[in-house]
Structure formats: structure tokens, C-alpha cells
Amino acid sequence: NEVWHCVKVHNSLKMPWTGGVLDCYAEGRLVGRTEMTFTADGGSTLVRLNKTMQAPVQFSETILKEHGDVLTMEGKLSLTNYSDKEMHVIITKEVSGTPLSASDAAATTCSPNYYKNPDGRFVWEVCVQPGETKTVTYQYSHKE
């Protein structure tokens, strides 16, 4: 339930960037240090700068249905923007199971993990206005 201020950087070099420590400077002064992931040439990555306390997150999940050893789970994530600026937010939720549906045109992926449940992921890109609370919902199946 962490919210980070990030910058999106684009690699326009003709070679990839390896993962490692990234120092951020403003007016010649160090303002942050973070880790950066591998980025292919022509690719983009998000670089985390610092956590924000102006966007608390609430999370809940309930069992919607049970059918034998398969549960249908329903979840809800809410983020409130207490800043005075619009926030462009990328919300990521990882689950142990198969994504079924999601609100707000979320992108979903599902990768096998060779156990009972695949690794599911939901990703939303939303804008949250100052003082607004944004709630996204999702459903997935999970084998017990």
C-alpha cells in the first residue's frame, strides 16, 4: 500500500541501460538516490523518487463465490488525493490466481508459477483530482 512519486525516463541511446543505483540532482545538489531496472534501448521505465503521504490507500478483499476448491475473489482498492495537484497514478495489484474482470479498463496478465495458482496482475492508469477518492475493483479465481 505504498504510493511513490516517480518519473518516467526514456532510453534514447543505442544501447540498453543496466540496472543499478541512480542519483538525481537539482541545481547541482543531490536530491535523491534510487534503484533503476534494466531498460532496453528505446524503452521506458519508471524511477521511484520518494514515497508520498498525500495519497493513502485502502484495500479490501472478500470471497464472492465458492465452488469446490475454487474461490472467486473480489477486491477493492481506493486512493485519496490530499494534495493540491492532479495525480497520474499507476495502480498495480498482484494476486495468486487467474484475473477474471476489472474496472476502469485495467490491463491484466497471468503467468504460470507451476503450483495451484498462476501469478495474476492487474494494472490501472488513472488520474485522481485534488480531494478526490478513486476506487478500482477486480475479480479473480483462486484454487485452495
mmCIF file with all atom_site columns, all heavy atoms in Angstrom, residues 74-96:
data_model
loop_
_atom_site.group_PDB
_atom_site.id
_atom_site.type_symbol
_atom_site.label_atom_id
_atom_site.label_alt_id
_atom_site.label_comp_id
_atom_site.label_asym_id
_atom_site.label_entity_id
_atom_site.label_seq_id
_atom_site.pdbx_PDB_ins_code
_atom_site.Cartn_x
_atom_site.Cartn_y
_atom_site.Cartn_z
_atom_site.occupancy
_atom_site.B_iso_or_equiv
_atom_site.pdbx_formal_charge
_atom_site.auth_seq_id
_atom_site.auth_comp_id
_atom_site.auth_asym_id
_atom_site.auth_atom_id
_atom_site.pdbx_PDB_model_num
ATOM 1   N N   . GLU A 1 74 ? -13.202 -11.025 -4.825  1.00 0.00 ? 74 GLU A N   1
ATOM 2   C CA  . GLU A 1 74 ? -13.480 -9.672  -5.301  1.00 0.00 ? 74 GLU A CA  1
ATOM 3   C C   . GLU A 1 74 ? -12.704 -8.699  -4.421  1.00 0.00 ? 74 GLU A C   1
ATOM 4   O O   . GLU A 1 74 ? -12.737 -8.796  -3.191  1.00 0.00 ? 74 GLU A O   1
ATOM 5   C CB  . GLU A 1 74 ? -14.968 -9.377  -5.224  1.00 0.00 ? 74 GLU A CB  1
ATOM 6   C CG  . GLU A 1 74 ? -15.325 -8.005  -5.760  1.00 0.00 ? 74 GLU A CG  1
ATOM 7   C CD  . GLU A 1 74 ? -16.833 -7.809  -5.853  1.00 0.00 ? 74 GLU A CD  1
ATOM 8   O OE1 . GLU A 1 74 ? -17.485 -7.837  -4.794  1.00 0.00 ? 74 GLU A OE1 1
ATOM 9   O OE2 . GLU A 1 74 ? -17.327 -7.660  -6.976  1.00 0.00 ? 74 GLU A OE2 1
ATOM 10  N N   . GLY A 1 75 ? -12.003 -7.779  -5.053  1.00 0.00 ? 75 GLY A N   1
ATOM 11  C CA  . GLY A 1 75 ? -11.204 -6.819  -4.312  1.00 0.00 ? 75 GLY A CA  1
ATOM 12  C C   . GLY A 1 75 ? -11.511 -5.392  -4.705  1.00 0.00 ? 75 GLY A C   1
ATOM 13  O O   . GLY A 1 75 ? -12.070 -5.116  -5.773  1.00 0.00 ? 75 GLY A O   1
ATOM 14  N N   . LYS A 1 76 ? -11.126 -4.498  -3.797  1.00 0.00 ? 76 LYS A N   1
ATOM 15  C CA  . LYS A 1 76 ? -11.350 -3.071  -3.997  1.00 0.00 ? 76 LYS A CA  1
ATOM 16  C C   . LYS A 1 76 ? -10.129 -2.321  -3.463  1.00 0.00 ? 76 LYS A C   1
ATOM 17  O O   . LYS A 1 76 ? -9.661  -2.594  -2.354  1.00 0.00 ? 76 LYS A O   1
ATOM 18  C CB  . LYS A 1 76 ? -12.591 -2.660  -3.210  1.00 0.00 ? 76 LYS A CB  1
ATOM 19  C CG  . LYS A 1 76 ? -13.041 -1.248  -3.406  1.00 0.00 ? 76 LYS A CG  1
ATOM 20  C CD  . LYS A 1 76 ? -14.195 -0.876  -2.485  1.00 0.00 ? 76 LYS A CD  1
ATOM 21  C CE  . LYS A 1 76 ? -15.415 -1.711  -2.745  1.00 0.00 ? 76 LYS A CE  1
ATOM 22  N NZ  . LYS A 1 76 ? -16.609 -1.242  -2.020  1.00 0.00 ? 76 LYS A NZ  1
ATOM 23  N N   . LEU A 1 77 ? -9.612  -1.394  -4.268  1.00 0.00 ? 77 LEU A N   1
ATOM 24  C CA  . LEU A 1 77 ? -8.506  -0.526  -3.868  1.00 0.00 ? 77 LEU A CA  1
ATOM 25  C C   . LEU A 1 77 ? -8.962  0.919   -4.013  1.00 0.00 ? 77 LEU A C   1
ATOM 26  O O   . LEU A 1 77 ? -9.503  1.298   -5.052  1.00 0.00 ? 77 LEU A O   1
ATOM 27  C CB  . LEU A 1 77 ? -7.291  -0.735  -4.775  1.00 0.00 ? 77 LEU A CB  1
ATOM 28  C CG  . LEU A 1 77 ? -6.590  -2.084  -4.693  1.00 0.00 ? 77 LEU A CG  1
ATOM 29  C CD1 . LEU A 1 77 ? -5.719  -2.307  -5.917  1.00 0.00 ? 77 LEU A CD1 1
ATOM 30  C CD2 . LEU A 1 77 ? -5.754  -2.143  -3.444  1.00 0.00 ? 77 LEU A CD2 1
ATOM 31  N N   . SER A 1 78 ? -8.766  1.716   -2.971  1.00 0.00 ? 78 SER A N   1
ATOM 32  C CA  . SER A 1 78 ? -9.147  3.127   -3.006  1.00 0.00 ? 78 SER A CA  1
ATOM 33  C C   . SER A 1 78 ? -7.941  3.985   -2.664  1.00 0.00 ? 78 SER A C   1
ATOM 34  O O   . SER A 1 78 ? -7.185  3.675   -1.742  1.00 0.00 ? 78 SER A O   1
ATOM 35  C CB  . SER A 1 78 ? -10.260 3.419   -1.998  1.00 0.00 ? 78 SER A CB  1
ATOM 36  O OG  . SER A 1 78 ? -11.425 2.720   -2.331  1.00 0.00 ? 78 SER A OG  1
ATOM 37  N N   . LEU A 1 79 ? -7.779  5.080   -3.413  1.00 0.00 ? 79 LEU A N   1
ATOM 38  C CA  . LEU A 1 79 ? -6.686  6.019   -3.205  1.00 0.00 ? 79 LEU A CA  1
ATOM 39  C C   . LEU A 1 79 ? -7.285  7.415   -3.142  1.00 0.00 ? 79 LEU A C   1
ATOM 40  O O   . LEU A 1 79 ? -8.084  7.784   -4.002  1.00 0.00 ? 79 LEU A O   1
ATOM 41  C CB  . LEU A 1 79 ? -5.696  5.915   -4.367  1.00 0.00 ? 79 LEU A CB  1
ATOM 42  C CG  . LEU A 1 79 ? -4.506  6.849   -4.312  1.00 0.00 ? 79 LEU A CG  1
ATOM 43  C CD1 . LEU A 1 79 ? -3.252  6.088   -4.681  1.00 0.00 ? 79 LEU A CD1 1
ATOM 44  C CD2 . LEU A 1 79 ? -4.692  8.016   -5.253  1.00 0.00 ? 79 LEU A CD2 1
ATOM 45  N N   . THR A 1 80 ? -6.916  8.164   -2.108  1.00 0.00 ? 80 THR A N   1
ATOM 46  C CA  . THR A 1 80 ? -7.404  9.533   -1.940  1.00 0.00 ? 80 THR A CA  1
ATOM 47  C C   . THR A 1 80 ? -6.264  10.512  -2.186  1.00 0.00 ? 80 THR A C   1
ATOM 48  O O   . THR A 1 80 ? -5.172  10.342  -1.644  1.00 0.00 ? 80 THR A O   1
ATOM 49  C CB  . THR A 1 80 ? -7.991  9.741   -0.530  1.00 0.00 ? 80 THR A CB  1
ATOM 50  O OG1 . THR A 1 80 ? -9.032  8.787   -0.334  1.00 0.00 ? 80 THR A OG1 1
ATOM 51  C CG2 . THR A 1 80 ? -8.546  11.150  -0.367  1.00 0.00 ? 80 THR A CG2 1
ATOM 52  N N   . ASN A 1 81 ? -6.515  11.535  -2.995  1.00 0.00 ? 81 ASN A N   1
ATOM 53  C CA  . ASN A 1 81 ? -5.518  12.555  -3.306  1.00 0.00 ? 81 ASN A CA  1
ATOM 54  C C   . ASN A 1 81 ? -5.721  13.745  -2.369  1.00 0.00 ? 81 ASN A C   1
ATOM 55  O O   . ASN A 1 81 ? -6.630  14.539  -2.550  1.00 0.00 ? 81 ASN A O   1
ATOM 56  C CB  . ASN A 1 81 ? -5.664  12.994  -4.767  1.00 0.00 ? 81 ASN A CB  1
ATOM 57  C CG  . ASN A 1 81 ? -4.678  14.086  -5.148  1.00 0.00 ? 81 ASN A CG  1
ATOM 58  O OD1 . ASN A 1 81 ? -3.917  14.579  -4.334  1.00 0.00 ? 81 ASN A OD1 1
ATOM 59  N ND2 . ASN A 1 81 ? -4.716  14.477  -6.408  1.00 0.00 ? 81 ASN A ND2 1
ATOM 60  N N   . TYR A 1 82 ? -4.856  13.881  -1.375  1.00 0.00 ? 82 TYR A N   1
ATOM 61  C CA  . TYR A 1 82 ? -4.911  15.005  -0.439  1.00 0.00 ? 82 TYR A CA  1
ATOM 62  C C   . TYR A 1 82 ? -3.994  16.152  -0.853  1.00 0.00 ? 82 TYR A C   1
ATOM 63  O O   . TYR A 1 82 ? -3.848  17.120  -0.117  1.00 0.00 ? 82 TYR A O   1
ATOM 64  C CB  . TYR A 1 82 ? -4.564  14.549  0.973   1.00 0.00 ? 82 TYR A CB  1
ATOM 65  C CG  . TYR A 1 82 ? -5.663  13.743  1.621   1.00 0.00 ? 82 TYR A CG  1
ATOM 66  C CD1 . TYR A 1 82 ? -5.442  12.426  2.010   1.00 0.00 ? 82 TYR A CD1 1
ATOM 67  C CD2 . TYR A 1 82 ? -6.917  14.290  1.840   1.00 0.00 ? 82 TYR A CD2 1
ATOM 68  C CE1 . TYR A 1 82 ? -6.455  11.680  2.603   1.00 0.00 ? 82 TYR A CE1 1
ATOM 69  C CE2 . TYR A 1 82 ? -7.932  13.554  2.429   1.00 0.00 ? 82 TYR A CE2 1
ATOM 70  C CZ  . TYR A 1 82 ? -7.690  12.251  2.812   1.00 0.00 ? 82 TYR A CZ  1
ATOM 71  O OH  . TYR A 1 82 ? -8.699  11.514  3.386   1.00 0.00 ? 82 TYR A OH  1
ATOM 72  N N   . SER A 1 83 ? -3.383  16.058  -2.035  1.00 0.00 ? 83 SER A N   1
ATOM 73  C CA  . SER A 1 83 ? -2.518  17.154  -2.499  1.00 0.00 ? 83 SER A CA  1
ATOM 74  C C   . SER A 1 83 ? -3.365  18.208  -3.211  1.00 0.00 ? 83 SER A C   1
ATOM 75  O O   . SER A 1 83 ? -4.565  18.031  -3.399  1.00 0.00 ? 83 SER A O   1
ATOM 76  C CB  . SER A 1 83 ? -1.446  16.617  -3.452  1.00 0.00 ? 83 SER A CB  1
ATOM 77  O OG  . SER A 1 83 ? -1.983  16.383  -4.731  1.00 0.00 ? 83 SER A OG  1
ATOM 78  N N   . ASP A 1 84 ? -2.711  19.279  -3.634  1.00 0.00 ? 84 ASP A N   1
ATOM 79  C CA  . ASP A 1 84 ? -3.434  20.322  -4.367  1.00 0.00 ? 84 ASP A CA  1
ATOM 80  C C   . ASP A 1 84 ? -3.218  20.204  -5.875  1.00 0.00 ? 84 ASP A C   1
ATOM 81  O O   . ASP A 1 84 ? -3.528  21.116  -6.625  1.00 0.00 ? 84 ASP A O   1
ATOM 82  C CB  . ASP A 1 84 ? -3.021  21.710  -3.875  1.00 0.00 ? 84 ASP A CB  1
ATOM 83  C CG  . ASP A 1 84 ? -1.526  21.977  -4.039  1.00 0.00 ? 84 ASP A CG  1
ATOM 84  O OD1 . ASP A 1 84 ? -0.789  21.057  -4.457  1.00 0.00 ? 84 ASP A OD1 1
ATOM 85  O OD2 . ASP A 1 84 ? -1.101  23.102  -3.752  1.00 0.00 ? 84 ASP A OD2 1
ATOM 86  N N   . LYS A 1 85 ? -2.680  19.056  -6.330  1.00 0.00 ? 85 LYS A N   1
ATOM 87  C CA  . LYS A 1 85 ? -2.425  18.833  -7.747  1.00 0.00 ? 85 LYS A CA  1
ATOM 88  C C   . LYS A 1 85 ? -3.037  17.508  -8.196  1.00 0.00 ? 85 LYS A C   1
ATOM 89  O O   . LYS A 1 85 ? -3.163  16.573  -7.416  1.00 0.00 ? 85 LYS A O   1
ATOM 90  C CB  . LYS A 1 85 ? -0.924  18.778  -8.012  1.00 0.00 ? 85 LYS A CB  1
ATOM 91  C CG  . LYS A 1 85 ? -0.221  20.081  -7.738  1.00 0.00 ? 85 LYS A CG  1
ATOM 92  C CD  . LYS A 1 85 ? 1.236   19.979  -8.089  1.00 0.00 ? 85 LYS A CD  1
ATOM 93  C CE  . LYS A 1 85 ? 1.886   21.321  -7.966  1.00 0.00 ? 85 LYS A CE  1
ATOM 94  N NZ  . LYS A 1 85 ? 2.657   21.522  -6.807  1.00 0.00 ? 85 LYS A NZ  1
ATOM 95  N N   . GLU A 1 86 ? -3.395  17.446  -9.474  1.00 0.00 ? 86 GLU A N   1
ATOM 96  C CA  . GLU A 1 86 ? -3.860  16.190  -10.061 1.00 0.00 ? 86 GLU A CA  1
ATOM 97  C C   . GLU A 1 86 ? -2.738  15.152  -9.975  1.00 0.00 ? 86 GLU A C   1
ATOM 98  O O   . GLU A 1 86 ? -1.564  15.489  -10.158 1.00 0.00 ? 86 GLU A O   1
ATOM 99  C CB  . GLU A 1 86 ? -4.225  16.433  -11.528 1.00 0.00 ? 86 GLU A CB  1
ATOM 100 C CG  . GLU A 1 86 ? -4.627  15.179  -12.278 1.00 0.00 ? 86 GLU A CG  1
ATOM 101 C CD  . GLU A 1 86 ? -4.898  15.461  -13.737 1.00 0.00 ? 86 GLU A CD  1
ATOM 102 O OE1 . GLU A 1 86 ? -3.924  15.487  -14.519 1.00 0.00 ? 86 GLU A OE1 1
ATOM 103 O OE2 . GLU A 1 86 ? -6.071  15.672  -14.074 1.00 0.00 ? 86 GLU A OE2 1
ATOM 104 N N   . MET A 1 87 ? -3.113  13.910  -9.676  1.00 0.00 ? 87 MET A N   1
ATOM 105 C CA  . MET A 1 87 ? -2.128  12.831  -9.626  1.00 0.00 ? 87 MET A CA  1
ATOM 106 C C   . MET A 1 87 ? -2.409  11.841  -10.745 1.00 0.00 ? 87 MET A C   1
ATOM 107 O O   . MET A 1 87 ? -3.519  11.327  -10.853 1.00 0.00 ? 87 MET A O   1
ATOM 108 C CB  . MET A 1 87 ? -2.201  12.072  -8.300  1.00 0.00 ? 87 MET A CB  1
ATOM 109 C CG  . MET A 1 87 ? -1.685  12.798  -7.118  1.00 0.00 ? 87 MET A CG  1
ATOM 110 S SD  . MET A 1 87 ? -1.717  11.696  -5.668  1.00 0.00 ? 87 MET A SD  1
ATOM 111 C CE  . MET A 1 87 ? -1.039  12.775  -4.436  1.00 0.00 ? 87 MET A CE  1
ATOM 112 N N   . HIS A 1 88 ? -1.400  11.587  -11.576 1.00 0.00 ? 88 HIS A N   1
ATOM 113 C CA  . HIS A 1 88 ? -1.482  10.498  -12.548 1.00 0.00 ? 88 HIS A CA  1
ATOM 114 C C   . HIS A 1 88 ? -0.929  9.277   -11.815 1.00 0.00 ? 88 HIS A C   1
ATOM 115 O O   . HIS A 1 88 ? 0.215   9.284   -11.378 1.00 0.00 ? 88 HIS A O   1
ATOM 116 C CB  . HIS A 1 88 ? -0.654  10.798  -13.796 1.00 0.00 ? 88 HIS A CB  1
ATOM 117 C CG  . HIS A 1 88 ? -0.641  9.652   -14.753 1.00 0.00 ? 88 HIS A CG  1
ATOM 118 N ND1 . HIS A 1 88 ? -1.709  9.364   -15.568 1.00 0.00 ? 88 HIS A ND1 1
ATOM 119 C CD2 . HIS A 1 88 ? 0.285   8.708   -15.002 1.00 0.00 ? 88 HIS A CD2 1
ATOM 120 C CE1 . HIS A 1 88 ? -1.433  8.294   -16.277 1.00 0.00 ? 88 HIS A CE1 1
ATOM 121 N NE2 . HIS A 1 88 ? -0.221  7.884   -15.951 1.00 0.00 ? 88 HIS A NE2 1
ATOM 122 N N   . VAL A 1 89 ? -1.761  8.251   -11.668 1.00 0.00 ? 89 VAL A N   1
ATOM 123 C CA  . VAL A 1 89 ? -1.406  7.121   -10.816 1.00 0.00 ? 89 VAL A CA  1
ATOM 124 C C   . VAL A 1 89 ? -1.442  5.823   -11.619 1.00 0.00 ? 89 VAL A C   1
ATOM 125 O O   . VAL A 1 89 ? -2.375  5.586   -12.395 1.00 0.00 ? 89 VAL A O   1
ATOM 126 C CB  . VAL A 1 89 ? -2.399  7.004   -9.624  1.00 0.00 ? 89 VAL A CB  1
ATOM 127 C CG1 . VAL A 1 89 ? -1.995  5.882   -8.689  1.00 0.00 ? 89 VAL A CG1 1
ATOM 128 C CG2 . VAL A 1 89 ? -2.482  8.320   -8.873  1.00 0.00 ? 89 VAL A CG2 1
ATOM 129 N N   . ILE A 1 90 ? -0.425  4.997   -11.438 1.00 0.00 ? 90 ILE A N   1
ATOM 130 C CA  . ILE A 1 90 ? -0.421  3.636   -11.969 1.00 0.00 ? 90 ILE A CA  1
ATOM 131 C C   . ILE A 1 90 ? -0.573  2.718   -10.756 1.00 0.00 ? 90 ILE A C   1
ATOM 132 O O   . ILE A 1 90 ? 0.289   2.690   -9.874  1.00 0.00 ? 90 ILE A O   1
ATOM 133 C CB  . ILE A 1 90 ? 0.873   3.330   -12.741 1.00 0.00 ? 90 ILE A CB  1
ATOM 134 C CG1 . ILE A 1 90 ? 0.997   4.265   -13.935 1.00 0.00 ? 90 ILE A CG1 1
ATOM 135 C CG2 . ILE A 1 90 ? 0.884   1.868   -13.184 1.00 0.00 ? 90 ILE A CG2 1
ATOM 136 C CD1 . ILE A 1 90 ? 2.322   4.177   -14.667 1.00 0.00 ? 90 ILE A CD1 1
ATOM 137 N N   . ILE A 1 91 ? -1.700  2.027   -10.704 1.00 0.00 ? 91 ILE A N   1
ATOM 138 C CA  . ILE A 1 91 ? -2.008  1.128   -9.590  1.00 0.00 ? 91 ILE A CA  1
ATOM 139 C C   . ILE A 1 91 ? -1.731  -0.298  -10.051 1.00 0.00 ? 91 ILE A C   1
ATOM 140 O O   . ILE A 1 91 ? -2.233  -0.723  -11.089 1.00 0.00 ? 91 ILE A O   1
ATOM 141 C CB  . ILE A 1 91 ? -3.484  1.259   -9.164  1.00 0.00 ? 91 ILE A CB  1
ATOM 142 C CG1 . ILE A 1 91 ? -3.806  2.693   -8.759  1.00 0.00 ? 91 ILE A CG1 1
ATOM 143 C CG2 . ILE A 1 91 ? -3.815  0.271   -8.048  1.00 0.00 ? 91 ILE A CG2 1
ATOM 144 C CD1 . ILE A 1 91 ? -5.296  2.957   -8.573  1.00 0.00 ? 91 ILE A CD1 1
ATOM 145 N N   . THR A 1 92 ? -0.945  -1.042  -9.279  1.00 0.00 ? 92 THR A N   1
ATOM 146 C CA  . THR A 1 92 ? -0.628  -2.431  -9.597  1.00 0.00 ? 92 THR A CA  1
ATOM 147 C C   . THR A 1 92 ? -1.069  -3.317  -8.447  1.00 0.00 ? 92 THR A C   1
ATOM 148 O O   . THR A 1 92 ? -0.750  -3.041  -7.286  1.00 0.00 ? 92 THR A O   1
ATOM 149 C CB  . THR A 1 92 ? 0.891   -2.603  -9.819  1.00 0.00 ? 92 THR A CB  1
ATOM 150 O OG1 . THR A 1 92 ? 1.303   -1.710  -10.846 1.00 0.00 ? 92 THR A OG1 1
ATOM 151 C CG2 . THR A 1 92 ? 1.234   -4.023  -10.202 1.00 0.00 ? 92 THR A CG2 1
ATOM 152 N N   . LYS A 1 93 ? -1.813  -4.369  -8.768  1.00 0.00 ? 93 LYS A N   1
ATOM 153 C CA  . LYS A 1 93 ? -2.250  -5.344  -7.763  1.00 0.00 ? 93 LYS A CA  1
ATOM 154 C C   . LYS A 1 93 ? -1.878  -6.731  -8.258  1.00 0.00 ? 93 LYS A C   1
ATOM 155 O O   . LYS A 1 93 ? -2.305  -7.162  -9.334  1.00 0.00 ? 93 LYS A O   1
ATOM 156 C CB  . LYS A 1 93 ? -3.761  -5.239  -7.531  1.00 0.00 ? 93 LYS A CB  1
ATOM 157 C CG  . LYS A 1 93 ? -4.320  -6.298  -6.601  1.00 0.00 ? 93 LYS A CG  1
ATOM 158 C CD  . LYS A 1 93 ? -3.743  -6.204  -5.223  1.00 0.00 ? 93 LYS A CD  1
ATOM 159 C CE  . LYS A 1 93 ? -4.346  -7.254  -4.299  1.00 0.00 ? 93 LYS A CE  1
ATOM 160 N NZ  . LYS A 1 93 ? -3.535  -7.506  -3.130  1.00 0.00 ? 93 LYS A NZ  1
ATOM 161 N N   . GLU A 1 94 ? -1.062  -7.438  -7.491  1.00 0.00 ? 94 GLU A N   1
ATOM 162 C CA  . GLU A 1 94 ? -0.685  -8.808  -7.822  1.00 0.00 ? 94 GLU A CA  1
ATOM 163 C C   . GLU A 1 94 ? -1.515  -9.759  -6.989  1.00 0.00 ? 94 GLU A C   1
ATOM 164 O O   . GLU A 1 94 ? -1.759  -9.506  -5.801  1.00 0.00 ? 94 GLU A O   1
ATOM 165 C CB  . GLU A 1 94 ? 0.806   -9.014  -7.590  1.00 0.00 ? 94 GLU A CB  1
ATOM 166 C CG  . GLU A 1 94 ? 1.632   -8.161  -8.531  1.00 0.00 ? 94 GLU A CG  1
ATOM 167 C CD  . GLU A 1 94 ? 3.121   -8.296  -8.346  1.00 0.00 ? 94 GLU A CD  1
ATOM 168 O OE1 . GLU A 1 94 ? 3.556   -8.931  -7.358  1.00 0.00 ? 94 GLU A OE1 1
ATOM 169 O OE2 . GLU A 1 94 ? 3.843   -7.748  -9.187  1.00 0.00 ? 94 GLU A OE2 1
ATOM 170 N N   . VAL A 1 95 ? -1.971  -10.856 -7.620  1.00 0.00 ? 95 VAL A N   1
ATOM 171 C CA  . VAL A 1 95 ? -2.805  -11.844 -6.944  1.00 0.00 ? 95 VAL A CA  1
ATOM 172 C C   . VAL A 1 95 ? -2.288  -13.243 -7.235  1.00 0.00 ? 95 VAL A C   1
ATOM 173 O O   . VAL A 1 95 ? -1.606  -13.473 -8.232  1.00 0.00 ? 95 VAL A O   1
ATOM 174 C CB  . VAL A 1 95 ? -4.290  -11.732 -7.373  1.00 0.00 ? 95 VAL A CB  1
ATOM 175 C CG1 . VAL A 1 95 ? -4.874  -10.387 -6.976  1.00 0.00 ? 95 VAL A CG1 1
ATOM 176 C CG2 . VAL A 1 95 ? -4.473  -11.987 -8.858  1.00 0.00 ? 95 VAL A CG2 1
ATOM 177 N N   . SER A 1 96 ? -2.632  -14.169 -6.355  1.00 0.00 ? 96 SER A N   1
ATOM 178 C CA  . SER A 1 96 ? -2.341  -15.578 -6.573  1.00 0.00 ? 96 SER A CA  1
ATOM 179 C C   . SER A 1 96 ? -3.601  -16.196 -7.161  1.00 0.00 ? 96 SER A C   1
ATOM 180 O O   . SER A 1 96 ? -4.490  -16.636 -6.446  1.00 0.00 ? 96 SER A O   1
ATOM 181 C CB  . SER A 1 96 ? -1.968  -16.252 -5.248  1.00 0.00 ? 96 SER A CB  1
ATOM 182 O OG  . SER A 1 96 ? -1.762  -17.627 -5.460  1.00 0.00 ? 96 SER A OG  1
#
